[in-house]
Amino acid sequence: MNTECKTETIQFHALGSREVRGQFDGGDISTDAGGLLLRETEKRTGILKRFAGCFQDHRDPRFVEHGIEQLVSQRVYGLCLGYEDLNDHDQLRSDPMLAVMVGETDPKGRTRKQARDRGKALAGKSTLNRLELSTEGAAKHPYKKIGRNEAAIDRLMVDVFVQAHRRAPRQIILDLDATDDPIHGSQEGRFFHGYYRHYCYLPLYIFCGEFLLCARLRRSDIDGAAGSVEELERIVGQIRQKWPRVQIVIRADSGFCRDEILTWCESQHRVDYVIGLAKNNRLLGAIETPMATAKKRFDRTGKPARVFKTFQYQTRDSWSRERRIIGKAEHLTKGANPRFIVTSLPKGRTPPRQIYEQIYCARGDMENRIKEQQLGLFADRTSTATMRANQLRLYLSSVAYMLMQALRRLGLQGTELARAQCTTIRLKLLKIGAQIHVTVRRVWIRMAGGYPYAAVFAQVYANLQKIPLRC
């Protein structure tokens, strides 16, 4: 006769006359039942399925229990649910809820080949680690046999953006920015960055609104704008294949005010730009009169005053031609606050104030998107030894962002969480306690009766049901 194992009882502080006791014997209970909304989103967008199609599996099919789509889905769903490390998956592989999300038809793992794996439906950290550490010659490697096509992954990001629009927009704005990704080990490409004052990578991001179009991992011993033209060439070319007449404007801070980028835009690519320009004595001299006017207004009213001036300017050495500058002469309580941008937008069509305040200043929202991915979806977890493996981690985080953004765009519209960031969506919509019961015909998900956002959950589900299935 088998003996029954009893879990240890935990005695908590009493509630009045009642004892409060706890035991880890509740059966199959998950904290991530809301993740089923991510699965519904995937069924309507096919993001993970198409992402998996960017990999090549050279493993012997006789010994494969987890396909590429299952592996990348498990990893991406884990990031969306807040599990940043591979080590987490040694426990998550036993979670039938995650197995249902991934599409594992045996969510309890009862039919696994090895006895030691039974009860664990999903892949462990070692299998996922081999996926991340695959080399360029994956077909010939004895263990790491999963290759990837980075060009296909890059195209996927732009495809998701284009396909999210029913018709071509009149104008789109592409935001470029670089940020620091701190390094705490001896990873390949490790360099000290003087501005950020630590060892880091310097990834390049390109967004269009909330859509992520590029996430390129780079060493930090380069100019912040390095590689931008190549990425723009690729992205703009792909967009123009679908939308040949769309007006494209690139927007960035002064770190991207490079003649190579400006000249590329001014050539036959038909791309406009609104880019910050670092101030110098010549520029400040050009707005002396507007600065005096702004100060007089401030002295008279006691309120911040702005005056704008447009003029032509060319650097002494670095620019190949003269360009249009918009100078902001501003006086605040703390004193003068002059700023400059260079733009190719034609005179007369859009006033200088509108270009600066409504177009250029709006680029600050991109920084929120970068923080959302780095802090909420762990894009900074680049701790493996090689840049190739760390680029894959950045891709995984990027796809997790794309899936969460799709959930926000398609499911959360019209709800109180329509503008919520990924961490808030995870906390309020995905982290739901539920009991799981697997039968021959059904998987029952009994979610917590006290869940406070049940009405929002129902509305999100209803929104997703209106969208046709893709996979």
Side-chain angles (χ1 to χ4, degrees):
M1 178 186 292
N2 294 327
T3 58
E4 273 189 30
C5 295
K6 293 186 177 180
T7 59
E8 182 180 351
T9 300
I10 305 172
Q11 186 80 34
F12 295 100
H13 192 76
L15 178 64
S17 60
R18 295 184 176 91
E19 292 183 353
V20 178
R21 297 188 177 188
Q23 283 183 278
F24 289 98
D25 61 351
D28 292 323
I29 297 176
S30 175
T31 60
D32 300 314
L36 292 172
L37 292 177
L38 289 173
R39 183 171 182 260
E40 293 296 312
T41 303
E42 161 60 15
K43 292 295 183 182
R44 285 152 180 83
T45 61
I47 291 173
L48 293 178
K49 187 177 185 64
R50 287 185 284 170
F51 180 49
C54 300
F55 293 79
Q56 304 89 35
D57 193 348
H58 302 289
R59 297 175 296 174
D60 188 331
R62 294 176 300 168
F63 307 110
V64 173
E65 290 188 274
H66 303 102
I68 296 296
E69 187 174 347
Q70 285 184 317
L71 293 178
V72 298
S73 297
Q74 180 181 340
R75 190 73 169 94
V76 171
Y77 281 138
L79 292 170
C80 292
L81 295 170
Y83 303 107
E84 57 190 283
D85 287 323
L86 286 178
N87 291 340
D88 296 326
H89 288 268
D90 260 10
Q91 286 74 44
L92 290 172
R93 64 188 303 211
S94 303
D95 184 0
M97 176 60 68
L98 184 57
V100 170
M101 292 173 59
V102 167
E104 175 56 62
T105 55
D106 176 23
K108 298 279 287 182
R110 291 168 176 156
T111 60
R112 294 290 302 274
K113 294 179 180 179
Q114 300 290 332
R116 64 185 181 185
D117 292 328
R118 287 168 195 156
K120 302 170 183 176
L122 299 176
K125 64 180 180 182
S126 298
T127 303
L128 294 171
N129 191 50
R130 286 193 289 273
L131 167 69
E132 292 192 358
L133 298 183
S134 62
T135 60
E136 291 188 14
K140 299 180 180 179
H141 198 282
Y143 303 112
K144 306 178 181 76
K145 289 183 170 293
I146 300 175
R148 68 175 186 265
N149 185 341
E150 293 196 358
I153 299 174
D154 293 334
R155 288 194 298 270
L156 171 63
M157 293 185 183
V158 182
D159 281 341
V160 169
F161 161 66
V162 173
Q163 293 166 8
H165 295 76
R166 293 182 179 178
R167 60 181 64 89
R170 185 183 64 83
Q171 180 192 81
I172 61 172
I173 298 177
L174 305 183
D175 285 304
L176 291 81
D177 205 356
T179 189
D180 64 315
D181 177 1
I183 292 176
H184 305 289
S186 299
Q187 292 95 312
E188 178 188 6
R190 176 181 183 266
F191 286 95
F192 185 86
H193 196 285
Y195 177 79
Y196 294 110
R197 304 182 70 83
H198 55 229
Y199 289 91
C200 62
Y201 290 130
L202 194 67
L204 171 67
Y205 286 95
I206 300 179
F207 280 82
C208 183
E210 291 190 353
F211 289 90
L212 176 60
L213 306 183
C214 172
R216 180 74 61 224
L217 193 67
R218 306 175 301 173
R219 302 182 310 182
S220 63
D221 63 333
I222 60 172
D223 178 63
S228 299
V229 169
E230 291 79 5
E231 300 297 346
L232 287 171
E233 185 98 42
R234 171 182 62 81
I235 292 170
V236 170
Q238 190 175 345
I239 291 174
R240 284 265 165 78
Q241 287 178 357
K242 297 290 186 180
W243 303 332
R245 297 182 180 180
V246 66
Q247 181 193 11
I248 299 177
V249 181
I250 68 168
R251 179 170 59 188
D253 63 20
S254 60
F256 291 82
C257 191
R258 302 291 184 265
D259 188 68
E260 180 187 13
I261 298 175
L262 304 181
T263 300
W264 180 86
C265 292
E266 293 159 349
S267 63
Q268 298 179 353
H269 297 93
R270 297 181 291 118
V271 175
D272 288 304
Y273 55 80
V274 179
I275 298 178
L277 177 61
K279 57 189 174 184
N280 58 42
N281 290 334
R282 288 177 60 205
L283 290 170
L284 292 173
I287 61 168
E288 280 186 356
T289 300
M291 284 300 302
T293 302
K295 186 176 186 309
K296 288 179 181 179
R297 290 182 184 176
F298 175 81
D299 292 339
R300 185 176 66 252
T301 65
K303 297 180 180 179
R306 284 182 175 180
V307 179
F308 289 88
K309 179 182 178 180
T310 299
F311 57 96
Q312 295 298 115
Y313 172 82
Q314 181 175 0
T315 64
R316 288 196 166 95
D317 302 312
S318 59
W319 284 7
S320 58
R321 52 161 291 183
E322 193 176 67
R323 295 182 169 100
R324 181 190 179 199
I325 306 299
I326 295 177
K328 180 195 71 169
E330 182 177 49
H331 199 92
L332 307 171
T333 304
K334 63 180 180 180
N337 183 41
R339 291 288 186 273
F340 302 91
I341 59 173
V342 57
T343 182
S344 63
L345 295 177
K347 292 182 180 179
R349 191 173 299 176
T350 309
R353 178 182 290 272
Q354 183 178 344
I355 293 175
Y356 185 89
E357 294 181 346
Q358 297 183 20
I359 298 179
Y360 179 71
C361 289
R363 65 166 296 277
D365 190 55
M366 180 198 184
E367 297 179 2
N368 293 329
R369 303 285 77 78
I370 293 176
K371 290 178 182 176
E372 189 173 17
Q373 187 180 349
Q374 282 203 304
L375 301 180
L377 295 168
F378 318 110
D380 58 351
R381 294 292 294 176
T382 48
S383 55
T384 61
T386 66
M387 287 197 70
R388 175 181 170 82
N390 286 323
Q391 176 66 66
L392 178 56
R393 287 194 171 186
L394 183 56
Y395 278 140
L396 290 166
S397 172
S398 299
V399 173
Y401 171 85
M402 291 162 59
L403 189 62
M404 292 287 275
Q405 190 269 339
L407 172 61
R408 178 167 53 202
R409 172 171 51 89
L410 301 174
L412 272 63
Q413 56 182 327
T415 74
E416 62 187 79
L417 299 177
R419 300 285 297 169
Q421 292 198 355
C422 292
T423 50
T424 302
I425 295 172
R426 176 189 299 144
L427 177 65
K428 295 187 175 182
L429 203 61
L430 306 184
K431 290 295 182 180
I432 306 174
Q435 187 181 56
I436 307 160
H437 183 54
V438 180
T439 68
V440 174
R441 295 185 178 181
R442 292 182 179 85
V443 177
W444 292 96
I445 311 293
R446 295 183 174 90
M447 289 180 269
Y451 173 57
Y453 296 96
V456 176
F457 188 97
Q459 187 174 351
V460 174
Y461 176 78
N463 288 342
L464 291 173
Q465 296 308 301
K466 298 174 185 177
I467 302 170
L469 293 171
R470 288 182 62 97
C471 59

